[in-house]
Amino acid sequence: MENATCKFCGTKLHHIVADLGAQPLSNEYLNEDELNSGQYYYPLQVMVCEKCKLVQALEYQKPENIFKDYKYFSSFSSAWLKHCEEYVDMIVPRLNLNKESNVCEIACNDGYLLQFFKKYDIPVYGIEPAANVANYAKEKNIEVEVAFFDENFAVDVSKRRGLADLIIGNNVFAHVPNINSFVKGLNKLLKKTGTITLEFPHLLNLMKENQFDTIYHEHFFYFSLNVVKNIFLNHGLKVYDVQQLPTHGGSLRIYATHEDNMAFKESENVKKLLNTEREFKLDILSTYDDFSEKVKFIKRETHRLLGSLKSEGKKIAAFGAAAKGNTFLNYCGVGSDYIDFVADSSDQKQGRYLPGTRIPIVSPYIINKEKPDYIIILPWNIKEEITELLSFTREWGCQFVTFIPETQIF
């Protein structure tokens, strides 16, 4: 921490936003034969730059290690797929995209989004660092470049595939440690008349709703609109519009283009949201000071409730082997002494164990067999989708629990 500097402006970091202790990588799920081989833990600490106000995690593990055998597949959430299809149906007419357009998605995962461009016959390709995930996109007949995106790669791919009319990046901006090289790459790959859309969780919601579980090692940054606007301007790009989205507990979708592209003017949406951030005082360090106390309170409340339920002999399960759940469980110290199993719809995770807590991951069918009294919904951001999926558990009086933004039993 003594030598930590801001990844954007280089200022020495001093101000802690949250210290979640030492944790394993949030997507490093274990096979049964790995249970006795140990697991590496890394400090999970987030700081805010006193100069530029960029909130960032200290880097203890290289991204190529985090993403080499990635277990997150975007297509397993029906709500997310619907969100992405609606995006494609919106952006095609908004930007007048056609068969001559060139669309690129950074971190295309398993092709969850690019597949929806097929009905418009618009040429697309993806860039994805996790080869195992990229293979699933290729099975959907989507061309994929297996690589990390940065300035050098942008120059290379633009020579081979041309400049892009649209560059898409959903939940990737926070994952790149070299943020300056990433944004320079966007500039290099984007056509002069082109648009970039990026979606990422909004720092304002994280602070307001106590969403500390969205902090994990593969999330290097936590963005406000104001900070993103300044980063883009520093590299010759401008944010010209923004939308607030309900995804991931509250996200932003920004629209950006080259700074000298006069076809796009800054919208009222941008002005209003910048004002909202100022009103919440995201630009003032004191705003961050009480956040860690709120996090500690949630930890105490979690132990109080789960301890009480176990004392009553209740059977507790969880649903959703998500990265945010792993941050939550490891920080709170909640393992198999409280939770019997976690069910997940992804067959890539079933039969494995959560990192750190080593809670077994099972098929949702096990819920009907074991009939738990309570199910903790770990990906609380899609709790409506999950409660509908698990509505059959009401037959035996099962109740659902979430702990963020506060403890709720329903």
Side-chain angles (χ1 to χ4, degrees):
M1 182 176 121
E2 290 181 2
N3 298 316
T5 57
C6 176
K7 293 290 183 64
F8 170 50
C9 71
T11 301
K12 192 171 181 180
L13 298 175
H14 300 285
H15 211 91
I16 296 173
V17 177
D19 188 343
L20 302 179
Q23 300 208 19
L25 299 180
S26 58
N27 280 298
E28 194 174 75
Y29 299 91
L30 299 171
N31 294 316
E32 189 168 359
D33 58 3
E34 295 174 314
L35 289 176
N36 296 318
S37 61
Q39 194 167 27
Y40 287 107
Y41 281 59
Y42 306 90
L44 186 53
Q45 191 176 72
V46 173
M47 307 189 77
V48 59
C49 176
E50 296 179 12
K51 180 181 178 182
C52 70
K53 304 304 184 295
L54 174 60
V55 175
Q56 54 206 283
L58 299 188
E59 185 184 347
Y60 291 97
Q61 183 59 290
K62 295 187 179 299
E64 53 265 32
N65 293 334
I66 294 175
F67 295 102
K68 68 180 178 182
D69 187 25
Y70 205 42
K71 293 298 182 293
Y72 180 76
F73 291 80
S74 298
S75 293
F76 281 106
S77 171
S78 58
W80 180 244
L81 288 178
K82 183 174 183 291
H83 167 81
C84 294
E85 185 171 17
E86 289 174 350
Y87 164 83
V88 172
D89 292 339
M90 175 277 299
I91 202 69
V92 168
R94 174 167 176 161
L95 298 182
N96 296 314
L97 300 175
N98 55 50
K99 296 178 182 180
E100 304 301 317
S101 302
N102 187 9
V103 175
C104 166
E105 183 185 12
I106 302 169
C108 67
N109 200 266
D110 57 8
Y112 70 102
L113 184 146
L114 291 179
Q115 63 184 336
F116 295 117
F117 281 96
K118 287 184 177 180
K119 61 186 176 184
Y120 295 103
D121 293 324
I122 294 173
V124 300
Y125 71 95
I127 301 168
E128 171 57 48
N132 65 310
V133 179
N135 287 334
Y136 285 82
K138 291 176 181 178
E139 290 176 3
K140 297 182 174 84
N141 295 318
I142 296 169
E143 295 183 26
V144 182
E145 302 263 351
V146 178
F148 284 93
F149 183 82
D150 58 14
E151 182 182 11
N152 290 333
F153 181 79
V155 172
D156 173 61
V157 76
S158 67
K159 291 176 181 176
R160 292 184 285 108
R161 294 183 177 269
L163 296 176
D165 294 280
L166 171 63
I167 301 174
I168 306 164
N170 287 348
N171 302 304
V172 61
F173 196 33
H175 294 66
V176 289
N178 192 335
I179 193 167
N180 288 312
S181 179
F182 184 89
V183 179
K184 286 178 183 176
L186 294 177
N187 189 317
K188 299 285 188 183
L189 185 57
L190 186 67
K191 191 177 292 185
K192 286 299 179 184
T193 55
T195 285
I196 301 158
T197 69
L198 299 182
E199 293 183 23
F200 48 84
H202 192 192
L203 176 65
L204 181 65
N205 290 82
L206 186 154
M207 301 293 290
K208 285 176 64 176
E209 304 294 331
N210 305 320
Q211 298 171 0
F212 73 90
D213 60 338
T214 60
I215 297 170
Y216 36 99
H217 294 104
E218 67 186 63
H219 277 182
F220 296 104
F221 302 106
Y222 305 85
F223 295 111
S224 65
L225 176 61
N226 183 59
V227 168
V228 171
K229 182 172 178 282
N230 291 335
I231 293 172
F232 271 54
L233 282 174
N234 195 61
H235 297 297
L237 298 167
K238 64 180 180 182
V239 175
Y240 69 84
D241 199 7
V242 63
Q243 292 173 301
Q244 293 175 273
L245 308 171
T247 53
H248 299 285
S251 296
L252 299 182
R253 176 189 290 149
I254 64 162
Y255 296 75
T257 188
H258 289 283
E259 189 178 5
D260 57 1
N261 182 4
M262 294 298 104
F264 297 109
K265 305 293 184 183
E266 185 178 284
S267 73
E268 285 299 315
N269 292 336
V270 174
K271 295 180 176 70
K272 289 178 181 178
L273 189 52
L274 289 173
N275 188 55
T276 300
E277 291 183 346
R278 280 192 294 269
E279 290 176 351
F280 191 76
K281 300 181 179 178
L282 282 180
D283 57 338
I284 298 174
L285 289 174
S286 59
T287 302
Y288 301 90
D289 289 338
D290 63 348
F291 182 73
S292 62
E293 290 305 314
K294 294 178 182 178
V295 172
K296 292 172 187 175
F297 177 79
I298 291 175
K299 181 176 183 176
R300 292 193 295 268
E301 281 291 288
T302 300
H303 279 280
R304 182 192 63 77
L305 175 61
L306 296 183
S308 174
L309 293 178
K310 293 303 286 187
S311 296
E312 295 170 9
K314 302 298 184 182
K315 183 180 290 187
I316 304 173
F319 191 94
K324 56 165 47 74
N326 292 328
T327 292
F328 171 79
L329 295 173
N330 281 296
Y331 170 69
C332 292
V334 173
S336 55
D337 48 345
Y338 287 119
I339 299 173
D340 296 336
F341 59 85
V342 56
D344 195 279
S345 301
S346 171
D347 56 9
Q348 296 291 318
K349 295 178 181 177
Q350 293 165 13
R352 297 189 175 220
Y353 297 79
L354 296 184
T357 60
R358 303 187 176 204
I359 299 170
I361 306 170
V362 302
S363 164
Y365 294 111
I366 299 299
I367 293 174
N368 197 42
K369 177 183 176 182
E370 296 295 328
K371 293 181 167 53
D373 300 298
Y374 292 87
I375 297 177
I376 301 169
I377 298 177
L378 295 174
W380 46 263
N381 55 299
I382 54 171
K383 68 179 181 181
E384 289 81 9
E385 177 184 343
I386 292 171
T387 52
E388 183 177 346
L389 178 68
L390 302 181
S391 60
F392 65 89
T393 63
R394 299 298 194 186
E395 295 175 7
W396 63 82
C398 180
Q399 292 183 282
F400 301 113
V401 182
T402 55
F403 290 102
I404 294 173
E406 58 188 6
T407 301
Q408 184 182 15
I409 303 175
F410 55 100

